[in-house]
Amino acid sequence: MRSQVDLASLSVQQLSSVKKRLDDELEHLTTSFTKLRAAQTKFRECLSSIREGVSAKIAGKPLLVPLTTSLYVPGTLADADKVMVDIGTGFFVEKDIKDALRFYGSKIEDLGKNLKDLESIVQSKSNNLRVVEDVLRQKVITSSGDITPGPSS
């Protein structure tokens, strides 16, 4: 269970620490969001490749097979009914077209849900950060106003 802290009761140093922690969390979450979005795009490209690039009319004809995002080798489509599916961490499984489409569609859907959840968390953290920044700004203004110049000689 989370307990709430009255930000106005914290010192400038404590608020700065909370702000830094929120900044770090927000940066990590934003990076994760970007990586999830990239993975979702990769799965969409896989779906598109299967739908548009695998057919009986291509079987036996020369084509370029991607080994990495920038390295392609010549090859031929041996079986227009089956494809190799990257299931993660460098492992591939042979699946028929229907199962491959279902697999990638499921991955895209799961990532979409995760992205939606993560987006709301990022929004919440951003709001928290704004509140902490506002309170910190007020504290700094108040503390600088409390400093009175000494008597002049």
Side-chain angles (χ1 to χ4, degrees):
M1 185 171 149
R2 292 181 178 242
S3 61
Q4 293 188 354
V5 176
D6 180 18
L7 293 176
S9 69
L10 298 177
S11 69
V12 171
Q13 184 178 5
Q14 289 170 320
L15 283 170
S16 294
S17 176
V18 170
K19 180 188 175 309
K20 180 173 180 358
R21 190 171 65 233
L22 283 171
D23 279 333
D24 292 345
E25 287 177 16
L26 203 52
E27 182 179 338
H28 174 72
L29 291 170
T30 303
T31 301
S32 296
F33 186 87
T34 302
K35 288 179 181 177
L36 286 176
R37 178 71 74 199
Q40 190 181 45
T41 299
K42 178 184 169 202
F43 289 137
R44 280 195 177 110
E45 289 170 357
C46 289
L47 264 180
S48 175
S49 293
I50 293 170
R51 284 187 183 129
E52 297 169 14
V54 179
S55 67
K57 64 183 176 187
I58 295 176
K61 293 184 180 177
L63 52 88
L64 291 175
V65 179
L67 294 181
T68 67
T69 56
S70 61
L71 178 63
Y72 292 79
V73 295
T76 57
L77 182 62
D79 186 352
D81 297 323
K82 296 190 187 301
V83 293
M84 296 300 290
V85 174
D86 182 355
I87 60 170
T89 62
F91 290 98
F92 291 82
V93 174
E94 186 177 274
K95 289 186 177 279
D96 65 31
I97 300 297
K98 234 182 206 179
D99 287 342
L101 292 172
R102 198 174 310 119
F103 174 81
Y104 285 125
S106 171
K107 288 290 187 183
I108 291 167
E109 187 179 319
D110 290 345
L111 284 173
K113 290 174 186 173
N114 290 340
L115 284 165
K116 188 175 180 179
D117 293 343
L118 190 55
E119 188 174 21
S120 68
I121 292 169
V122 167
Q123 186 65 41
S124 174
K125 293 283 183 184
S126 294
N127 290 339
N128 291 346
L129 181 59
R130 268 193 295 280
V131 170
V132 169
E133 287 173 337
D134 289 344
V135 172
L136 182 59
R137 192 175 305 109
Q138 288 295 14
K139 285 258 184 183
V140 169
I141 290 170
T142 302
S143 66
S144 66
D146 291 342
I147 302 173
T148 56
S152 51
S153 314

